[in-house]
Each structure stands twice: as structure tokens, then as C-alpha cells.
Amino acid sequence: MRKILITFIAVAFVTPVFAQEEPPPFVEAAHNAVVTVLKLTPEQTEAWHVIYQIHREKEQPLQEMIAEVQGEIDALFEAGEPDTAGVGALFITRRDLGEQLLDVHLVYHEDFVLLLIEQQAPKLRFMARADDAQKFIPAFKLFELIPRR
């Protein structure tokens, strides 16, 4: 779950480039890789774009509110000896907004999965497992447990 959130947040930082007329080459390459690996049809690709846009429209205001609340928290600490009740209330607000943001990401992911046909879903699950295992690969390479290619 945490890994999904981190992935979606990373995507969220890259997403504003989709709003541009011509996305940077690395974004277009990543988009094309998803389409190619999952073998998305043109209809699926278009539906993905629609749900992605909906996701961005719901995500952006939450991110802005989180940034505002964080700014308030930072300002209280910079002012010195902040009111603990005020800081606590702001932390709770920030946490609640974070939970709402997580829900937006999860709905987007669930909607994307619903676009996939039976043969495509295992490929997406494989990519998620590969992402989980990625941090361990250097250890296996260090001890030459992964054959060289």
C-alpha cells in the first residue's frame, strides 16, 4: 500500500508535464512503455487518459491544501515555541488530507485495473512485484546470484 502511494506521488510530480502540448521525451517514453507492456488498445489508452485527468483534478486541490497546512505548521515552528494544541490540530488536518489523497490514488489505480482484460492484469501485478523486489537486486548482484547478461 505504501509503495503504491509513493509511486502515485512520484507520478503526481511528473504529471504537470501531461498538461503541456508536447510532453518531455521521458514522459512520452514512459507512457508508451505502459501501453506497450500491457498491450493497451487505443480504447483502453483513451479511457486511461480520461481517468488520469479525473485523478489529477481531484489530486491537485488536496496537494495544495496539504502544502498550505504544512506552511502553517512550519510558520508556527519558525515563530518559536508554538502552541501545541494548534500544531496538533494542524497535524491532524494534514493527516486527514493525506488520507483523502491516498483514497484518490487508490480509486485511480482501481479504475485503471478495471480497464484491463484478463491477460493484462497479471502483467501489471508482475510490474508491482518487480518494483517491490528492485531494492534487493543490488544485494543479489553483489554476491553474483543473478547471472550476468
Side-chain angles (χ1 to χ4, degrees):
M1 186 70 80
R2 184 172 180 261
K3 193 72 147 180
I4 291 172
L5 175 62
I6 291 170
T7 301
F8 281 122
I9 290 172
V11 169
F13 285 113
V14 174
T15 333
V17 296
F18 274 126
Q20 300 172 4
E21 300 259 338
E22 292 278 328
F26 74 92
V27 173
E28 188 174 346
H31 175 273
N32 293 340
V34 171
V35 171
T36 301
V37 168
L38 296 178
K39 296 183 176 154
L40 298 179
T41 65
E43 295 80 16
Q44 287 174 309
T45 303
E46 183 57 35
W48 174 31
H49 294 167
V50 170
I51 63 171
Y52 185 75
Q53 187 59 40
I54 292 168
H55 163 255
R56 288 292 295 146
E57 289 169 2
K58 291 180 179 179
E59 172 189 61
Q60 192 166 9
L62 289 170
Q63 289 175 330
E64 290 170 3
M65 287 188 277
I66 289 170
E68 287 175 24
V69 171
Q70 184 61 51
E72 291 178 43
I73 291 169
D74 293 345
L76 286 174
F77 277 103
E78 288 171 7
E81 296 195 36
D83 170 48
T84 55
V87 170
L90 287 170
F91 269 99
I92 291 170
T93 299
R94 190 180 71 185
R95 181 188 176 281
D96 291 344
L97 290 168
E99 290 293 321
Q100 290 175 40
L101 184 59
L102 178 59
D103 289 343
V104 166
H105 293 310
L106 292 176
V107 166
Y108 164 69
H109 182 263
E110 290 167 0
D111 288 347
F112 180 79
V113 170
L114 290 174
L115 294 175
L116 303 178
I117 61 173
E118 188 177 333
Q119 297 84 354
Q120 294 167 323
K123 292 177 183 177
L124 181 60
R125 287 193 300 270
F126 170 78
M127 296 307 285
R129 285 191 314 273
D131 185 54
D132 289 341
Q134 189 174 8
K135 62 185 167 226
F136 300 111
I137 291 173
F140 282 81
K141 284 185 173 182
L142 176 68
F143 292 103
E144 299 180 23
L145 299 172
I146 296 176
R148 294 178 190 217
R149 297 176 200 182

